Amino acid sequence: PVFFSGGGGGRQGLPPEIQEQQDAMKQRDQEVATVGAEKITRGQLDDFTNTMAQLQQQNLTPLQRHTSAPFLLEMLEDQVILVQAAKAQNIAVSNSEVNAEIDKRVREQALAAKTDKLAREQQPAILGRIRDGVEAEKDQIRNGLITQKLQ
């Protein structure tokens, strides 16, 4: 055991930075919703919020995160329901299908951005940024393909 003194005598425990990390991990594992038998954790909601903010190219303030949490949680629940429905009907979307859709969207966005009019040395960087943006939507793309198959 490690002993730390902090004002009012010694206490037994972990260094404060380690304790903070453990507390943060416990918070990430905290259940915020249940859909069927599947639990949605605070960590999943935080990750989903970060992805949605990235897609909107926004940095959310703590107040914006707090006020958008119920809406985003509902979206996340809908995604879980969608995946459960697809599994129940033995519907799957392969990685190659997702990658083909990503390639298609990158081509469409590159055409819309008229990257062919840019200098040859600028094209790879612009196409890379377009691909990064589209790949950030990978889960939404997969869910869109599942939705198409469910119809």
Side-chain angles (χ1 to χ4, degrees):
V2 179
F3 294 90
F4 292 95
S5 61
R11 68 174 171 87
Q12 187 176 4
L14 297 170
E17 58 277 358
I18 301 291
Q19 187 63 50
E20 286 175 16
Q21 288 174 350
Q22 287 184 350
D23 291 346
M25 290 305 294
K26 285 179 187 173
Q27 285 180 344
R28 280 189 62 79
D29 291 339
Q30 180 185 19
E31 181 181 332
V32 293
T34 303
V35 179
E38 191 164 337
K39 295 177 180 165
I40 298 175
T41 65
R42 179 168 308 285
Q44 289 172 302
L45 179 58
D46 288 345
D47 294 344
F48 185 70
T49 301
N50 292 338
T51 299
M52 296 307 290
Q54 182 182 9
L55 292 175
Q56 300 296 317
Q57 298 178 346
Q58 293 180 352
N59 291 321
L60 298 178
T61 66
L63 179 61
Q64 289 170 320
R65 281 182 172 278
H66 178 75
T67 56
S68 64
F71 171 71
L72 292 171
L73 180 57
E74 188 174 319
M75 287 178 64
L76 190 54
E77 289 170 338
D78 289 345
Q79 286 188 2
V80 171
I81 291 167
L82 177 70
V83 170
Q84 288 175 347
K87 283 180 184 176
Q89 296 181 35
N90 292 320
I91 294 173
V93 173
S94 69
N95 287 337
S96 62
E97 289 173 288
V98 173
N99 291 333
E101 181 66 20
I102 287 172
D103 291 343
K104 175 183 158 200
R105 291 183 185 196
V106 168
R107 283 191 305 275
E108 289 170 353
Q109 289 185 26
L111 284 173
K114 299 184 180 180
T115 55
D116 58 325
K117 306 274 190 234
L118 297 173
R120 187 172 294 256
E121 58 274 358
Q122 291 177 314
Q123 289 178 0
I126 299 296
L127 288 172
R129 280 189 288 238
I130 290 172
R131 178 165 293 281
D132 290 346
V134 173
E135 285 187 356
E137 301 175 27
K138 191 176 256 186
D139 288 338
Q140 286 74 24
I141 290 170
R142 182 177 301 279
N143 290 338
L145 293 171
I146 289 171
T147 301
Q148 289 174 7
K149 288 185 174 188
L150 281 170
Q151 294 176 350

